[in-house]
Amino acid sequence: MGVRNFIDRVFTVISDLILKVLPASKQEKQAFAYYKAGMAAQAEGDYAEALENYYESLYLDEDQYDRSYTLYNIGLIYGKNENYPRALEYYHQAVSLNSNLPQALNNIAAIYHRQGLLALEMASQDYDSAMEISEEYEYIELAKGLFDKAAEYWYQALKLAPDNYPRARNWLRITGRAKSLDSF
């Protein structure tokens, strides 16, 4: 049995115990059951099934904190499938409900960083194909804006989790966007 399998089983046992011990309404228990089923399907790579369960969980769950993690997991699925606009939408919703989600902030930053790299690539392609300098400049400015957004979200993530995301911290330093990273 792999470590991941063991962790999944431990989570299942503990969550089942919590549901039995803690007072929760039938609706809350159903929402959690859907969330748990979504996590299991996601771990198996069955993203359609995971999304179905997560959406059911969102429909039933009224707790903002719990909903934030469901929204985050939905964002993970869309990101995994390279649907970055949808991933951003769900990450932003998650953060709006729970501002203490450094992993969502990190993923938002990573998407903006990736989009910035793609914009730079477009600028170099335009340059190679003798496009107008103004178009190349537009892509470079777009990349700069996206990198600035990435920096802001990585900075927020590092404020919440200073020991996490060493590559982001390094990128912030290398690009001169570090602000005052050493203060946390």
Side-chain angles (χ1 to χ4, degrees), residues 135-156:
E135 288 182 46
E136 178 187 354
Y137 179 75
E138 287 176 27
Y139 283 120
I140 291 171
E141 286 301 305
L142 175 62
K144 183 182 177 297
L146 291 165
F147 288 145
D148 288 345
K149 280 184 174 184
E152 185 56 40
Y153 283 98
W154 269 325
Y155 186 76
Q156 290 177 45

Side-chain angles (χ1 to χ4, degrees), residues 170-179:
N170 189 46
W171 180 83
L172 289 167
R173 283 193 177 121
I174 289 170
T175 62
R177 292 177 168 92
K179 290 187 184 181

Side-chain angles (χ1 to χ4, degrees), residues 51 54-55 57-59 61 63-76 78 84-101 103-105 107-108 111-112 153:
L51 286 173
Y54 287 145
Y55 289 134
S57 177
L58 282 175
Y59 178 74
D61 204 341
D63 183 84
Q64 301 299 316
Y65 184 79
D66 292 344
R67 290 175 61 85
S68 71
Y69 281 94
T70 304
L71 291 164
Y72 169 75
N73 285 344
I74 293 171
L76 283 175
Y78 282 114
Y84 299 120
R86 289 296 300 263
L88 284 171
E89 175 187 335
Y90 283 97
Y91 290 143
H92 282 293
Q93 286 181 46
V95 170
S96 74
L97 295 179
N98 179 359
S99 60
N100 193 26
L101 273 176
Q103 60 272 41
L105 295 166
N107 291 358
I108 291 168
I111 290 171
Y112 285 136
Y153 283 98

Side-chain angles (χ1 to χ4, degrees), residues 4-174:
R4 184 178 181 98
N5 226 359
F6 173 75
I7 292 171
D8 288 343
R9 287 185 184 182
V10 168
F11 173 77
T12 300
V13 169
I14 291 173
S15 62
D16 287 343
L17 286 172
I18 289 172
L19 278 178
K20 289 176 184 172
V21 174
L22 291 179
S25 71
K26 183 178 179 181
Q27 183 173 333
E28 290 170 323
K29 288 179 180 182
Q30 281 182 311
F32 186 71
Y34 278 116
Y35 178 77
K36 214 169 70 170
M39 287 183 60
Q42 185 175 357
E44 294 296 319
D46 188 350
Y47 299 131
E49 178 72 20
L51 286 173
E52 253 182 61
N53 283 294
Y54 287 145
Y55 289 134
E56 285 295 329
S57 177
L58 282 175
Y59 178 74
L60 295 169
D61 204 341
E62 295 176 1
D63 183 84
Q64 301 299 316
Y65 184 79
D66 292 344
R67 290 175 61 85
S68 71
Y69 281 94
T70 304
L71 291 164
Y72 169 75
N73 285 344
I74 293 171
L76 283 175
I77 291 171
Y78 282 114
K80 179 84 172 165
N81 289 300
E82 297 183 4
N83 186 339
Y84 299 120
R86 289 296 300 263
L88 284 171
E89 175 187 335
Y90 283 97
Y91 290 143
H92 282 293
Q93 286 181 46
V95 170
S96 74
L97 295 179
N98 179 359
S99 60
N100 193 26
L101 273 176
Q103 60 272 41
L105 295 166
N106 175 64
N107 291 358
I108 291 168
I111 290 171
Y112 285 136
H113 181 262
R114 178 170 164 57
Q115 290 175 332
L117 292 174
L118 291 173
L120 282 181
E121 189 177 305
M122 293 298 294
S124 69
Q125 286 177 0
D126 281 352
Y127 181 76
D128 292 342
S129 65
M131 288 283 194
E132 289 193 27
I133 291 177
S134 63
E135 288 182 46
E136 178 187 354
Y137 179 75
E138 287 176 27
Y139 283 120
I140 291 171
E141 286 301 305
L142 175 62
K144 183 182 177 297
L146 291 165
F147 288 145
D148 288 345
K149 280 184 174 184
E152 185 56 40
Y153 283 98
W154 269 325
Y155 186 76
Q156 290 177 45
L158 286 164
K159 277 177 61 175
L160 294 172
D163 296 329
N164 294 359
Y165 319 116
R167 294 173 75 188
R169 180 185 298 271
N170 189 46
W171 180 83
L172 289 167
R173 283 193 177 121
I174 289 170

